[in-house]
Amino acid sequence: MKNVYLLFFSLLFLSFSSPKNDCDLVYSTASYALNHAKSALKANNFDHQKYYSGKALESYEKLSKLLEGSQCEGLTENVQDIIADAVKAADPADWDRGRYYSKKVINSTQDLITKLDSQAEVAGVESTP
């Protein structure tokens, strides 16, 4: 019986413990998407380029959903712009256009990650006593 109570209180405690910061999850998803975009740019085969661009697009769509309920501010428009370019990179007319849009996605994602870094720094400064 004690084990049941212990289990119940453990689960109760875990449910009230603070979850991982939403921006941390957004940051890691953006980094994951960036890696796929870089793989698309490094691909030496048109099919591989499209495959990795498609994987990046999936990550950006997930990122967009994460931003809906997160504490990160002012990033939704940036992510929508990246998604528009990622769609073009995932289904390009030819090799050169795929590379062009992959480069745009990479540069935009690096800017997005920089914004996330600056938000984390500001949050760290505000929470410091």
Side-chain angles (χ1 to χ4, degrees):
M1 192 63 156
K2 288 182 181 181
N3 290 339
V4 173
Y5 286 124
L6 182 61
L7 178 64
F8 175 73
F9 286 117
S10 298
L11 291 174
L12 187 64
F13 177 74
L14 287 175
S15 67
F16 286 117
S17 65
S18 62
K20 186 177 179 182
N21 185 355
D22 290 346
C23 290
D24 290 342
L25 187 56
V26 168
Y27 189 94
S28 64
T29 305
S31 298
Y32 185 72
L34 179 63
N35 285 334
H36 281 306
K38 286 181 178 180
S39 294
L41 190 60
K42 291 178 189 175
N44 58 6
N45 174 315
F46 187 58
D47 290 331
H48 289 160
Q49 179 186 18
K50 288 173 44 174
Y51 171 78
Y52 286 114
S53 293
K55 296 295 277 183
L57 177 60
E58 290 173 14
S59 297
Y60 291 112
E61 289 171 345
K62 180 180 176 183
L63 182 63
S64 178
K65 290 178 185 174
L66 288 172
L67 281 175
E68 289 175 5
S70 77
Q71 301 166 358
C72 302
E73 298 175 2
L75 302 175
T76 305
E77 187 176 320
N78 295 70
V79 172
Q80 293 303 321
D81 291 342
I82 294 171
I83 288 174
D85 289 334
V87 166
K88 294 173 186 174
D91 191 23
D94 58 20
W95 170 263
D96 290 328
R97 287 188 189 173
R99 289 183 55 80
Y100 171 77
Y101 285 111
S102 292
K103 286 178 186 178
K104 280 187 74 170
V105 166
I106 289 170
N107 291 334
S108 299
T109 305
Q110 289 172 336
D111 292 341
L112 178 72
I113 289 173
T114 301
K115 287 180 182 180
L116 283 165
D117 283 337
S118 65
Q119 284 186 4
E121 288 175 9
V122 169
V125 169
E126 290 175 357
S127 65
T128 307

